[in-house]
Amino acid sequence: MHDAQMDYYGTRLATCSSDRTVKIFDVRNGGQILVADLRGHEGPVWQVAWAHPMFGNILASCSYDRKVIIWKEDNGSWDKMYEYTGHESSVNSVCWGPYEFGLILACGSSDGAISLLTFTGDQQWDVKKISNAHTIGCNAVSWAPAVVPGSLIDQPSGQKPNYVKRFVSGGCDNLVKLWKEEDGQWKEDQKLEAHSDWVRDVGWAPSIGLPTSTIASCSQDGRVFIWTCDDPAGNTWTPELLHKFNDVVWHVSWSITGNILAVSGGDNKVTLWKESMDGRWACISDVSKGQGAVSTITDTQQTEQ
């Protein structure tokens, strides 16, 4: 199994694996009932992503078979809504944009390109492609929150917030890149350098409208960096090493409020990290996969560390 994602309400779980299938489970009340077994990929399926429920029950999946499939549930049955075959190599990551932009999906591929698929209504999808976004390949994509940093504080009452389409990507060129849409075209906004090996995952932290933007990145080099940007123009990003692990770090994932980061890696552990008042990151939980046992680090232990 390569990925597992809960839907918006936490009542359904979508999984995907090397057996080429996408499975959907009803997980209400602690149960696990298989409700759909979606077959359409011809290779291992790397990632799944739920769209916002305001668009209905929609799930995207990407695979080694170079395809992205968008599935939709109608009257209890799941069918293909759209199949995208515009990549020349494995598609490694899919991520839906904020609901404010409608249905828009970013897809990162081993062919080095990133595709943006936008639903334009009436069964039609508009495709924009960023060619050679990452040399050798793109491993991960993650959208920025729609609301511009600081808008919670700076916004005059009654005025519509300023929305900007931005996302972050990580690749086999050891780079983290920021992309921004300007006049309908996607442009490289920033190039963030700190990793010494392939960037495996990136995660743009959710925002509650505060002035700081935050991105987490993890790599084959065992390091996790937290990138922060305080200036409104978004030009200056500062990296801070969260931790150097002894093995590859595969995934980073933010909590909904953006203040806790989950990290999973080749050591088969999931660790949870939280920023303290002095701006330092501390490990608050350490879980071995399959163990179910959680060792929570207490305040006294933290002080000793």
Side-chain angles (χ1 to χ4, degrees), residues 214-282:
T214 308
I215 292 170
S217 64
C218 66
S219 164
Q220 198 76 28
D221 66 15
R223 291 184 293 180
V224 175
F225 280 100
I226 307 289
W227 304 83
T228 49
C229 174
D230 295 318
D231 76 297
N235 295 328
T236 316
W237 289 82
T238 312
E240 185 190 342
L241 181 65
L242 177 92
H243 191 67
K244 165 79 172 79
F245 293 86
N246 295 326
D247 210 331
V248 53
V249 184
W250 294 111
H251 288 298
V252 284
S253 178
W254 290 100
S255 62
I256 289 172
T257 46
N259 64 336
I260 294 175
L261 181 71
V263 177
S264 67
D267 59 1
N268 279 338
K269 273 188 174 177
V270 177
T271 50
L272 299 182
W273 299 78
K274 192 170 190 206
E275 191 178 13
S276 56
M277 295 304 281
D278 61 0
R280 302 245 297 276
W281 288 84

Side-chain angles (χ1 to χ4, degrees), residues 78-94:
W78 287 84
D79 287 301
K80 279 186 198 175
M81 181 183 185
Y82 180 63
E83 187 170 304
Y84 176 63
T85 54
H87 283 290
E88 290 158 32
S89 191
S90 172
V91 184
N92 304 317
S93 182
V94 282

Side-chain angles (χ1 to χ4, degrees), residues 17-38:
S17 79
S18 287
D19 68 3
R20 307 176 179 190
T21 68
V22 173
K23 291 186 166 78
I24 297 170
F25 297 87
D26 186 324
V27 291
R28 279 176 296 194
N29 306 320
Q32 271 187 4
I33 303 160
L34 179 66
V35 291
D37 188 339
L38 310 180

